[in-house]
């Protein structure tokens, strides 16, 4: 899949999420795939058909994860249950299984917790993979790297001949951007998280959080093979700032590709593993 085709699918999925509609009627005989992305600032549910075409999507803002670790288990299960119920109502069929993801390197316990959240929400947990690998699956990346800026971590996966050769994770992400913004504006972190999404003040906000973005790029530079012939994809909702890619690219000394709606790349990839 080339980036143009990836962007087309992402735009279609974003429209489904926005309108809370299904792409087409669904038969009870179809084998649907579900992805659950437990993020630091939101939980995303993605439903695909057997050919990996998006059918439905939804998300809910949440404060249940810190640095890739579930810190509010009960609330996580509650939200996933609600998203499952909404999806089943729209689709008119029961959703049986789902896959999830964790930041790379967070350990077997984190994997078990995410699986338990999915199971306790009424799904059968099929697979738990690392987030950059899920993103690479959606992008059909054979050679290159994925840098996944999550709410609490920066995850990096490097690929060669369609095989993951190295994977890394460092605890710096969107939440740390909110912490810096909170300190600069002297407001609670929860308010900073909301302010971070405001597009009208984007230039000012990015000026404040730029050092965090530069740190993320420095982290990625340590772990990504800087071969100018292989692409580097940047994904994750925290990357949505207009100046994010130019800043990241400057620090890394390498051109960077960011898909449209980067916050939905990983959830769609997660669903492909179901």
């Amino acid at each position: 899949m080339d980036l143009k085709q990836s962007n087309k699918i992402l735009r279609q999925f974003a429209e489904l999420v926005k309108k809370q509609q299904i792409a087409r009627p669904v038969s009870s005989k179809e084998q649907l795939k579900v992805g659950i992305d437990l993020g630091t600032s939101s939980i995303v549910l993605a439903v695909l058909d057997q050919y990996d075409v998006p059918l439905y999507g939804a998300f809910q803002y949440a404060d249940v994860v810190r640095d890739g670790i579930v810190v509010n288990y009960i609330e996580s299960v509650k939200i996933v249950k609600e998203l499952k119920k909404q999806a089943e109502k729209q689709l008119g069929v029961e959703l049986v299984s789902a896959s999830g993801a964790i930041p790379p390197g967070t350990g077997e316990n984190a994997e078990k917790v995410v699986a338990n959240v999915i199971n306790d929400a009424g799904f059968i947990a099929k697979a738990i993979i690392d987030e950059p690998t899920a993103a690479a699956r959606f992008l059909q990346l054979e050679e290159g790297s994925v840098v996944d800026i999550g709410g609490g971590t920066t995850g990096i996966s490097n690929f060669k001949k369609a095989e993951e050769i190295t994977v890394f994770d460092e605890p710096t992400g969107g939440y740390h951007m909110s912490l810096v913004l909170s300190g600069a504006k002297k407001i609670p972190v929860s308010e900073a998280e909301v302010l971070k999404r405001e597009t009208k003040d984007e230039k000012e906000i990015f000026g404040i959080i730029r050092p965090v973005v530069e740190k993320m790029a420095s982290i990625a530079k340590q772990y990504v093979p800087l071969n100018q012939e292989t692409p580097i994809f940047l994904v994750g909702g925290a990357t949505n700032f207009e100046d994010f890619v130019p800043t990241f690219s400057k620090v890394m000394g390498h051109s960077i590709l960011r898909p449209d709606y980067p916050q939905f790349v990983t959830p769609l990839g997660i669903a492909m593993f179901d």
Side-chain angles (χ1 to χ4, degrees):
M1 185 190 301
D2 59 22
L3 186 56
K4 184 177 180 180
Q5 178 65 12
S6 298
N7 285 339
K8 180 181 178 182
I9 294 171
L10 286 162
R11 287 193 295 269
Q12 290 171 345
F13 182 72
E15 194 67 15
L16 294 176
V17 172
K18 180 181 178 181
K19 294 184 176 180
Q20 284 294 278
Q21 295 177 345
I22 59 174
R24 61 168 175 79
V26 175
S27 164
S28 59
K29 296 180 181 180
E30 290 188 61
Q31 294 182 336
L32 304 184
K33 303 178 180 182
V34 181
I36 304 293
D37 188 4
L38 299 176
T40 300
S41 61
S42 66
I43 296 176
V44 182
L45 178 145
V47 182
L48 312 179
D49 69 13
Q50 60 182 325
Y51 304 108
D52 294 333
V53 176
L55 295 175
Y56 176 83
F59 79 97
Q60 184 171 325
Y61 289 118
D63 184 18
V64 297
V65 174
R66 283 283 181 272
D67 295 336
I69 305 299
V70 174
V71 294
N72 190 331
Y73 187 88
I74 293 174
E75 186 67 13
S76 298
V77 173
K78 179 184 176 183
I79 292 172
V80 176
K81 275 185 177 179
E82 290 172 355
L83 291 172
K84 182 178 189 288
K85 183 179 179 181
Q86 292 167 15
E88 290 174 338
K89 182 178 179 181
Q90 288 283 343
L91 293 161
V93 297
E94 181 185 6
L95 299 175
V96 178
S97 63
S99 291
I102 57 174
T106 46
E108 186 178 342
N109 186 58
E111 185 176 328
K112 287 180 179 178
V113 171
V114 171
N116 287 340
V117 168
I118 292 172
N119 286 327
D120 286 349
F123 291 103
I124 298 170
K126 276 288 186 71
I128 308 297
I129 60 276
D130 70 74
E131 292 164 350
T133 299
R137 176 73 171 267
F138 171 75
L139 296 167
Q140 294 185 13
L141 182 64
E142 294 189 357
E143 301 275 343
S145 303
V146 173
V147 180
D148 189 346
I149 309 294
T153 63
T154 296
I156 300 120
S157 287
N158 300 311
F159 294 84
K160 190 171 184 179
K161 296 181 180 179
E163 295 288 334
E164 184 181 72
I165 53 172
T166 51
V167 59
F168 307 95
D169 189 67
E170 293 288 343
T172 302
Y175 181 70
H176 302 85
M177 292 158 61
S178 297
L179 285 174
V180 170
L181 189 58
S182 169
K185 291 286 189 178
K186 295 181 173 55
I187 57 175
V189 176
S190 57
E191 290 183 23
E193 183 65 36
V194 175
L195 182 61
K196 197 174 65 178
R197 305 182 198 123
E198 292 289 334
T199 55
K200 62 183 179 67
D201 298 323
E202 180 175 311
K203 289 288 184 183
E204 179 196 357
I205 292 169
F206 191 81
I208 295 170
I209 65 171
R210 184 186 297 273
V212 184
V213 176
E214 292 173 340
K215 181 181 178 182
M216 294 171 182
S218 297
I219 290 169
K221 190 174 182 178
Q222 294 178 51
Y223 300 117
V224 172
L226 296 177
N227 180 344
Q228 294 297 329
E229 296 179 0
T230 56
I232 300 173
F233 285 94
L234 194 60
V235 302
T239 71
N240 267 316
F241 290 91
E242 182 181 348
D243 291 333
F244 202 105
V245 169
T247 300
F248 217 88
S249 179
K250 183 179 179 180
V251 173
M252 289 197 69
H254 194 291
S255 61
I256 304 293
L257 299 172
R258 178 182 58 192
D260 294 343
Y261 298 98
Q263 68 270 34
F264 294 140
V265 173
T266 300
L268 288 169
I270 294 170
M272 290 178 177
F273 282 88
D274 182 20

